[in-house]
Amino acid sequence: MIKLFVKFQTLASQDRGATAVEYALLVGLIAVAIIGAVTALGGQLNNLFTTVKNAITP
């Protein structure tokens, strides 16, 4: 029983799981920010690229 308790304390004190969760949350937040920016600016970027394409094409 004591060995099980010591093993549980050792697992609970490790930070690797918490760090992985924090990184996953950061990646998710960054992905949401990128999706929001592309959605908000998508039409304007499309118009800009079309204007540049038309200026280049003779």
Short mmCIF file of all heavy atoms in Angstrom, two decimals:
data_model
loop_
_atom_site.label_atom_id
_atom_site.label_comp_id
_atom_site.label_asym_id
_atom_site.label_seq_id
_atom_site.Cartn_x
_atom_site.Cartn_y
_atom_site.Cartn_z
N MET A 1 0.83 -1.19 0.00
CA MET A 1 0.00 0.00 0.00
C MET A 1 0.87 1.26 0.00
O MET A 1 0.56 2.21 -0.69
CB MET A 1 -0.92 -0.04 1.21
CG MET A 1 -1.88 1.09 1.27
SD MET A 1 -3.08 0.91 -0.04
CE MET A 1 -4.20 2.18 0.37
N ILE A 2 1.96 1.23 0.77
CA ILE A 2 2.84 2.40 0.84
C ILE A 2 3.54 2.60 -0.50
O ILE A 2 3.69 3.74 -0.95
CB ILE A 2 3.86 2.23 1.99
CG1 ILE A 2 3.12 2.27 3.33
CG2 ILE A 2 4.91 3.32 1.92
CD1 ILE A 2 4.00 2.03 4.52
N LYS A 3 3.91 1.51 -1.16
CA LYS A 3 4.55 1.63 -2.47
C LYS A 3 3.61 2.30 -3.49
O LYS A 3 4.03 3.12 -4.30
CB LYS A 3 4.98 0.26 -3.00
CG LYS A 3 6.15 -0.32 -2.28
CD LYS A 3 6.55 -1.65 -2.91
CE LYS A 3 7.71 -2.27 -2.17
NZ LYS A 3 8.13 -3.52 -2.79
N LEU A 4 2.34 1.94 -3.43
CA LEU A 4 1.35 2.53 -4.33
C LEU A 4 1.21 4.03 -4.05
O LEU A 4 1.14 4.84 -4.98
CB LEU A 4 0.00 1.83 -4.16
CG LEU A 4 -1.12 2.33 -5.04
CD1 LEU A 4 -0.80 2.10 -6.51
CD2 LEU A 4 -2.42 1.64 -4.68
N PHE A 5 1.19 4.42 -2.80
CA PHE A 5 1.07 5.82 -2.42
C PHE A 5 2.30 6.61 -2.89
O PHE A 5 2.17 7.71 -3.43
CB PHE A 5 0.90 5.94 -0.90
CG PHE A 5 0.72 7.35 -0.43
CD1 PHE A 5 -0.46 8.03 -0.69
CD2 PHE A 5 1.73 8.00 0.26
CE1 PHE A 5 -0.62 9.33 -0.27
CE2 PHE A 5 1.58 9.31 0.69
CZ PHE A 5 0.40 9.97 0.42
N VAL A 6 3.49 6.04 -2.70
CA VAL A 6 4.72 6.70 -3.14
C VAL A 6 4.73 6.85 -4.66
O VAL A 6 5.10 7.88 -5.20
CB VAL A 6 5.97 5.93 -2.64
CG1 VAL A 6 7.24 6.46 -3.27
CG2 VAL A 6 6.06 5.99 -1.13
N LYS A 7 4.30 5.81 -5.36
CA LYS A 7 4.23 5.86 -6.83
C LYS A 7 3.26 6.95 -7.28
O LYS A 7 3.54 7.71 -8.21
CB LYS A 7 3.80 4.50 -7.36
CG LYS A 7 3.72 4.40 -8.84
CD LYS A 7 5.09 4.40 -9.47
CE LYS A 7 4.98 4.12 -10.94
NZ LYS A 7 6.24 4.26 -11.63
N PHE A 8 2.12 7.06 -6.62
CA PHE A 8 1.14 8.09 -6.96
C PHE A 8 1.70 9.49 -6.71
O PHE A 8 1.51 10.39 -7.52
CB PHE A 8 -0.15 7.89 -6.16
CG PHE A 8 -1.20 8.92 -6.46
CD1 PHE A 8 -1.87 8.89 -7.67
CD2 PHE A 8 -1.49 9.93 -5.55
CE1 PHE A 8 -2.84 9.84 -7.95
CE2 PHE A 8 -2.44 10.88 -5.83
CZ PHE A 8 -3.12 10.84 -7.03
N GLN A 9 2.41 9.67 -5.61
CA GLN A 9 3.02 10.97 -5.33
C GLN A 9 4.06 11.32 -6.38
O GLN A 9 4.18 12.47 -6.78
CB GLN A 9 3.66 10.97 -3.94
CG GLN A 9 2.69 11.17 -2.82
CD GLN A 9 3.42 11.30 -1.49
OE1 GLN A 9 4.51 10.76 -1.30
NE2 GLN A 9 2.81 12.03 -0.57
N THR A 10 4.83 10.35 -6.82
CA THR A 10 5.85 10.59 -7.84
C THR A 10 5.19 11.00 -9.15
O THR A 10 5.63 11.95 -9.80
CB THR A 10 6.70 9.32 -8.07
OG1 THR A 10 7.26 8.93 -6.82
CG2 THR A 10 7.80 9.57 -9.07
N LEU A 11 4.13 10.32 -9.54
CA LEU A 11 3.42 10.67 -10.77
C LEU A 11 2.76 12.04 -10.67
O LEU A 11 2.74 12.80 -11.63
CB LEU A 11 2.38 9.61 -11.11
CG LEU A 11 2.91 8.26 -11.59
CD1 LEU A 11 1.77 7.27 -11.74
CD2 LEU A 11 3.68 8.41 -12.88
N ALA A 12 2.21 12.35 -9.51
CA ALA A 12 1.52 13.62 -9.33
C ALA A 12 2.49 14.80 -9.32
O ALA A 12 2.12 15.92 -9.68
CB ALA A 12 0.71 13.59 -8.04
N SER A 13 3.73 14.57 -8.93
CA SER A 13 4.68 15.67 -8.84
C SER A 13 5.37 15.97 -10.17
O SER A 13 6.06 16.97 -10.30
CB SER A 13 5.74 15.36 -7.78
OG SER A 13 6.54 14.28 -8.19
N GLN A 14 5.20 15.11 -11.18
CA GLN A 14 5.83 15.35 -12.47
C GLN A 14 5.07 16.42 -13.24
O GLN A 14 3.84 16.44 -13.25
CB GLN A 14 5.90 14.06 -13.28
CG GLN A 14 6.84 13.05 -12.68
CD GLN A 14 6.87 11.75 -13.48
OE1 GLN A 14 6.09 11.59 -14.40
NE2 GLN A 14 7.75 10.87 -13.12
N ASP A 15 5.79 17.30 -13.92
CA ASP A 15 5.18 18.41 -14.63
C ASP A 15 5.03 18.16 -16.13
O ASP A 15 4.54 19.02 -16.85
CB ASP A 15 6.02 19.68 -14.44
CG ASP A 15 5.97 20.18 -13.02
OD1 ASP A 15 5.00 19.86 -12.33
OD2 ASP A 15 6.90 20.91 -12.62
N ARG A 16 5.45 17.02 -16.61
CA ARG A 16 5.43 16.78 -18.06
C ARG A 16 4.01 16.81 -18.60
O ARG A 16 3.77 17.39 -19.65
CB ARG A 16 6.08 15.45 -18.37
CG ARG A 16 7.57 15.48 -18.10
CD ARG A 16 8.21 14.17 -18.41
NE ARG A 16 8.04 13.87 -19.84
CZ ARG A 16 8.43 12.77 -20.41
NH1 ARG A 16 9.00 11.83 -19.70
NH2 ARG A 16 8.25 12.57 -21.69
N GLY A 17 3.06 16.23 -17.92
CA GLY A 17 1.68 16.23 -18.38
C GLY A 17 1.08 17.62 -18.41
O GLY A 17 0.40 18.00 -19.35
N ALA A 18 1.35 18.39 -17.37
CA ALA A 18 0.83 19.75 -17.31
C ALA A 18 1.43 20.61 -18.41
O ALA A 18 0.75 21.42 -19.04
CB ALA A 18 1.10 20.35 -15.94
N THR A 19 2.71 20.44 -18.68
CA THR A 19 3.37 21.22 -19.72
C THR A 19 2.78 20.89 -21.08
O THR A 19 2.54 21.78 -21.89
CB THR A 19 4.88 20.94 -19.71
OG1 THR A 19 5.39 21.25 -18.41
CG2 THR A 19 5.59 21.79 -20.72
N ALA A 20 2.52 19.62 -21.34
CA ALA A 20 1.93 19.22 -22.62
C ALA A 20 0.55 19.83 -22.79
O ALA A 20 0.20 20.30 -23.88
CB ALA A 20 1.86 17.71 -22.71
N VAL A 21 -0.23 19.87 -21.73
CA VAL A 21 -1.56 20.46 -21.80
C VAL A 21 -1.46 21.96 -22.05
O VAL A 21 -2.21 22.53 -22.86
CB VAL A 21 -2.35 20.18 -20.50
CG1 VAL A 21 -3.63 20.97 -20.45
CG2 VAL A 21 -2.63 18.70 -20.38
N GLU A 22 -0.52 22.61 -21.41
CA GLU A 22 -0.34 24.05 -21.63
C GLU A 22 0.05 24.35 -23.06
O GLU A 22 -0.46 25.28 -23.68
CB GLU A 22 0.72 24.59 -20.66
CG GLU A 22 0.26 24.60 -19.22
CD GLU A 22 1.39 24.85 -18.24
OE1 GLU A 22 2.54 24.96 -18.68
OE2 GLU A 22 1.12 24.92 -17.04
N TYR A 23 0.97 23.56 -23.61
CA TYR A 23 1.36 23.75 -25.01
C TYR A 23 0.18 23.50 -25.94
O TYR A 23 -0.01 24.21 -26.93
CB TYR A 23 2.53 22.85 -25.38
CG TYR A 23 3.86 23.36 -24.89
CD1 TYR A 23 4.73 22.54 -24.21
CD2 TYR A 23 4.25 24.67 -25.13
CE1 TYR A 23 5.95 23.00 -23.76
CE2 TYR A 23 5.46 25.15 -24.68
CZ TYR A 23 6.31 24.31 -24.00
OH TYR A 23 7.52 24.79 -23.56
N ALA A 24 -0.62 22.50 -25.66
CA ALA A 24 -1.79 22.22 -26.49
C ALA A 24 -2.77 23.38 -26.46
O ALA A 24 -3.34 23.75 -27.49
CB ALA A 24 -2.45 20.93 -26.03
N LEU A 25 -2.97 23.96 -25.29
CA LEU A 25 -3.86 25.12 -25.18
C LEU A 25 -3.31 26.31 -25.95
O LEU A 25 -4.07 27.03 -26.62
CB LEU A 25 -4.08 25.50 -23.71
CG LEU A 25 -4.93 24.53 -22.90
CD1 LEU A 25 -4.91 24.93 -21.43
CD2 LEU A 25 -6.35 24.52 -23.43
N LEU A 26 -2.00 26.54 -25.88
CA LEU A 26 -1.40 27.63 -26.65
C LEU A 26 -1.55 27.42 -28.15
O LEU A 26 -1.89 28.36 -28.88
CB LEU A 26 0.09 27.78 -26.29
CG LEU A 26 0.39 28.46 -24.97
CD1 LEU A 26 1.87 28.37 -24.65
CD2 LEU A 26 -0.04 29.91 -25.02
N VAL A 27 -1.31 26.21 -28.61
CA VAL A 27 -1.46 25.91 -30.03
C VAL A 27 -2.91 26.12 -30.47
O VAL A 27 -3.17 26.68 -31.53
CB VAL A 27 -0.98 24.47 -30.33
CG1 VAL A 27 -1.38 24.03 -31.72
CG2 VAL A 27 0.52 24.38 -30.17
N GLY A 28 -3.84 25.69 -29.66
CA GLY A 28 -5.25 25.90 -29.97
C GLY A 28 -5.62 27.36 -30.04
O GLY A 28 -6.34 27.80 -30.94
N LEU A 29 -5.12 28.15 -29.11
CA LEU A 29 -5.40 29.58 -29.10
C LEU A 29 -4.80 30.27 -30.31
O LEU A 29 -5.44 31.12 -30.93
CB LEU A 29 -4.86 30.21 -27.81
CG LEU A 29 -5.11 31.71 -27.62
CD1 LEU A 29 -6.61 31.98 -27.57
CD2 LEU A 29 -4.45 32.19 -26.35
N ILE A 30 -3.58 29.90 -30.67
CA ILE A 30 -2.95 30.47 -31.86
C ILE A 30 -3.73 30.09 -33.11
O ILE A 30 -3.93 30.93 -34.00
CB ILE A 30 -1.47 30.03 -31.94
CG1 ILE A 30 -0.68 30.69 -30.82
CG2 ILE A 30 -0.87 30.36 -33.30
CD1 ILE A 30 0.72 30.14 -30.63
N ALA A 31 -4.18 28.85 -33.19
CA ALA A 31 -4.96 28.42 -34.35
C ALA A 31 -6.27 29.20 -34.47
O ALA A 31 -6.65 29.62 -35.56
CB ALA A 31 -5.25 26.92 -34.26
N VAL A 32 -6.93 29.44 -33.35
CA VAL A 32 -8.17 30.23 -33.36
C VAL A 32 -7.88 31.65 -33.81
O VAL A 32 -8.65 32.23 -34.59
CB VAL A 32 -8.84 30.20 -31.97
CG1 VAL A 32 -9.95 31.22 -31.87
CG2 VAL A 32 -9.37 28.81 -31.68
N ALA A 33 -6.78 32.24 -33.36
CA ALA A 33 -6.41 33.60 -33.77
C ALA A 33 -6.13 33.67 -35.26
O ALA A 33 -6.56 34.61 -35.95
CB ALA A 33 -5.20 34.08 -32.97
N ILE A 34 -5.42 32.67 -35.80
CA ILE A 34 -5.12 32.66 -37.23
C ILE A 34 -6.40 32.50 -38.04
O ILE A 34 -6.60 33.20 -39.05
CB ILE A 34 -4.11 31.54 -37.55
CG1 ILE A 34 -2.74 31.89 -36.98
CG2 ILE A 34 -4.03 31.29 -39.05
CD1 ILE A 34 -1.74 30.77 -37.07
N ILE A 35 -7.27 31.60 -37.63
CA ILE A 35 -8.54 31.40 -38.34
C ILE A 35 -9.37 32.68 -38.31
O ILE A 35 -9.95 33.08 -39.32
CB ILE A 35 -9.31 30.21 -37.75
CG1 ILE A 35 -8.59 28.91 -38.07
CG2 ILE A 35 -10.74 30.16 -38.25
CD1 ILE A 35 -9.11 27.70 -37.34
N GLY A 36 -9.41 33.35 -37.17
CA GLY A 36 -10.15 34.61 -37.08
C GLY A 36 -9.58 35.68 -37.97
O GLY A 36 -10.33 36.41 -38.64
N ALA A 37 -8.26 35.79 -38.03
CA ALA A 37 -7.62 36.82 -38.87
C ALA A 37 -7.86 36.53 -40.34
O ALA A 37 -8.16 37.44 -41.12
CB ALA A 37 -6.13 36.87 -38.57
N VAL A 38 -7.74 35.27 -40.74
CA VAL A 38 -7.96 34.92 -42.15
C VAL A 38 -9.42 35.15 -42.53
O VAL A 38 -9.71 35.64 -43.62
CB VAL A 38 -7.52 33.47 -42.41
CG1 VAL A 38 -7.98 32.97 -43.77
CG2 VAL A 38 -6.01 33.36 -42.30
N THR A 39 -10.32 34.82 -41.64
CA THR A 39 -11.73 35.04 -41.92
C THR A 39 -12.05 36.53 -42.04
O THR A 39 -12.77 36.95 -42.95
CB THR A 39 -12.60 34.41 -40.81
OG1 THR A 39 -12.31 33.02 -40.73
CG2 THR A 39 -14.07 34.60 -41.08
N ALA A 40 -11.48 37.33 -41.16
CA ALA A 40 -11.77 38.77 -41.17
C ALA A 40 -11.13 39.47 -42.37
O ALA A 40 -11.71 40.39 -42.94
CB ALA A 40 -11.28 39.40 -39.87
N LEU A 41 -9.93 39.03 -42.75
CA LEU A 41 -9.20 39.72 -43.81
C LEU A 41 -9.24 38.97 -45.14
O LEU A 41 -8.62 39.43 -46.11
CB LEU A 41 -7.74 39.92 -43.39
CG LEU A 41 -7.52 40.74 -42.12
CD1 LEU A 41 -6.06 40.75 -41.75
CD2 LEU A 41 -8.04 42.14 -42.29
N GLY A 42 -9.93 37.86 -45.21
CA GLY A 42 -9.93 37.03 -46.41
C GLY A 42 -10.40 37.75 -47.64
O GLY A 42 -9.77 37.67 -48.70
N GLY A 43 -11.49 38.47 -47.55
CA GLY A 43 -12.02 39.19 -48.71
C GLY A 43 -11.08 40.28 -49.18
O GLY A 43 -10.87 40.46 -50.38
N GLN A 44 -10.51 41.01 -48.25
CA GLN A 44 -9.58 42.08 -48.60
C GLN A 44 -8.32 41.52 -49.25
O GLN A 44 -7.80 42.08 -50.22
CB GLN A 44 -9.20 42.89 -47.36
CG GLN A 44 -10.36 43.68 -46.79
CD GLN A 44 -9.98 44.37 -45.49
OE1 GLN A 44 -8.87 44.20 -45.00
NE2 GLN A 44 -10.90 45.14 -44.95
N LEU A 45 -7.81 40.40 -48.74
CA LEU A 45 -6.64 39.79 -49.34
C LEU A 45 -6.93 39.27 -50.74
O LEU A 45 -6.11 39.40 -51.64
CB LEU A 45 -6.12 38.65 -48.46
CG LEU A 45 -5.40 39.06 -47.18
CD1 LEU A 45 -5.07 37.85 -46.34
CD2 LEU A 45 -4.14 39.83 -47.51
N ASN A 46 -8.10 38.70 -50.93
CA ASN A 46 -8.49 38.21 -52.25
C ASN A 46 -8.54 39.37 -53.24
O ASN A 46 -8.05 39.25 -54.38
CB ASN A 46 -9.83 37.50 -52.18
CG ASN A 46 -10.17 36.79 -53.46
OD1 ASN A 46 -9.30 36.44 -54.24
ND2 ASN A 46 -11.45 36.56 -53.69
N ASN A 47 -9.11 40.49 -52.85
CA ASN A 47 -9.16 41.66 -53.73
C ASN A 47 -7.76 42.18 -54.03
O ASN A 47 -7.47 42.56 -55.17
CB ASN A 47 -10.00 42.77 -53.10
CG ASN A 47 -11.47 42.41 -53.03
OD1 ASN A 47 -11.93 41.56 -53.79
ND2 ASN A 47 -12.19 43.04 -52.12
N LEU A 48 -6.89 42.20 -53.05
CA LEU A 48 -5.52 42.66 -53.25
C LEU A 48 -4.78 41.76 -54.24
O LEU A 48 -4.13 42.25 -55.17
CB LEU A 48 -4.77 42.70 -51.92
CG LEU A 48 -3.28 43.06 -51.99
CD1 LEU A 48 -3.12 44.51 -52.47
CD2 LEU A 48 -2.62 42.86 -50.65
N PHE A 49 -4.89 40.45 -54.06
CA PHE A 49 -4.21 39.53 -54.97
C PHE A 49 -4.79 39.62 -56.38
O PHE A 49 -4.07 39.53 -57.38
CB PHE A 49 -4.30 38.09 -54.46
CG PHE A 49 -3.42 37.84 -53.26
CD1 PHE A 49 -3.90 37.07 -52.20
CD2 PHE A 49 -2.14 38.34 -53.18
CE1 PHE A 49 -3.10 36.83 -51.10
CE2 PHE A 49 -1.33 38.09 -52.09
CZ PHE A 49 -1.82 37.34 -51.05
N THR A 50 -6.09 39.82 -56.50
CA THR A 50 -6.70 39.98 -57.83
C THR A 50 -6.19 41.25 -58.49
O THR A 50 -5.88 41.25 -59.69
CB THR A 50 -8.24 40.01 -57.69
OG1 THR A 50 -8.66 38.82 -57.06
CG2 THR A 50 -8.90 40.15 -59.06
N THR A 51 -6.08 42.34 -57.75
CA THR A 51 -5.56 43.58 -58.30
C THR A 51 -4.11 43.42 -58.76
O THR A 51 -3.75 43.87 -59.85
CB THR A 51 -5.64 44.71 -57.24
OG1 THR A 51 -6.99 44.82 -56.79
CG2 THR A 51 -5.15 46.02 -57.78
N VAL A 52 -3.29 42.77 -57.97
CA VAL A 52 -1.90 42.54 -58.34
C VAL A 52 -1.83 41.65 -59.58
O VAL A 52 -1.05 41.90 -60.51
CB VAL A 52 -1.11 41.92 -57.17
CG1 VAL A 52 0.26 41.46 -57.60
CG2 VAL A 52 -1.01 42.92 -56.03
N LYS A 53 -2.65 40.60 -59.63
CA LYS A 53 -2.66 39.70 -60.79
C LYS A 53 -3.06 40.45 -62.05
O LYS A 53 -2.44 40.29 -63.11
CB LYS A 53 -3.62 38.55 -60.56
CG LYS A 53 -3.69 37.55 -61.72
CD LYS A 53 -4.78 36.54 -61.53
CE LYS A 53 -6.07 37.22 -61.88
NZ LYS A 53 -7.02 36.60 -62.70
N ASN A 54 -4.07 41.30 -61.96
CA ASN A 54 -4.50 42.06 -63.12
C ASN A 54 -3.47 43.08 -63.56
O ASN A 54 -3.33 43.37 -64.75
CB ASN A 54 -5.83 42.75 -62.83
CG ASN A 54 -6.97 41.75 -62.70
OD1 ASN A 54 -6.90 40.64 -63.23
ND2 ASN A 54 -8.02 42.14 -61.98
N ALA A 55 -2.70 43.62 -62.61
CA ALA A 55 -1.65 44.58 -62.95
C ALA A 55 -0.48 43.89 -63.64
O ALA A 55 0.18 44.48 -64.50
CB ALA A 55 -1.19 45.31 -61.70
N ILE A 56 -0.21 42.66 -63.29
CA ILE A 56 0.92 41.93 -63.87
C ILE A 56 0.56 41.37 -65.24
O ILE A 56 1.36 41.41 -66.17
CB ILE A 56 1.38 40.80 -62.92
CG1 ILE A 56 1.95 41.39 -61.65
CG2 ILE A 56 2.38 39.89 -63.60
CD1 ILE A 56 2.27 40.37 -60.60
N THR A 57 -0.64 40.85 -65.37
CA THR A 57 -1.06 40.23 -66.62
C THR A 57 -1.30 41.30 -67.69
O THR A 57 -2.02 42.26 -67.46
CB THR A 57 -2.37 39.43 -66.41
OG1 THR A 57 -2.20 38.56 -65.30
CG2 THR A 57 -2.72 38.64 -67.64
N PRO A 58 -0.66 41.13 -68.88
CA PRO A 58 -0.84 42.15 -69.93
C PRO A 58 -2.20 42.11 -70.59
O PRO A 58 -2.88 41.22 -70.70
CB PRO A 58 0.26 41.82 -70.95
CG PRO A 58 0.79 40.48 -70.61
CD PRO A 58 0.31 40.14 -69.24
#
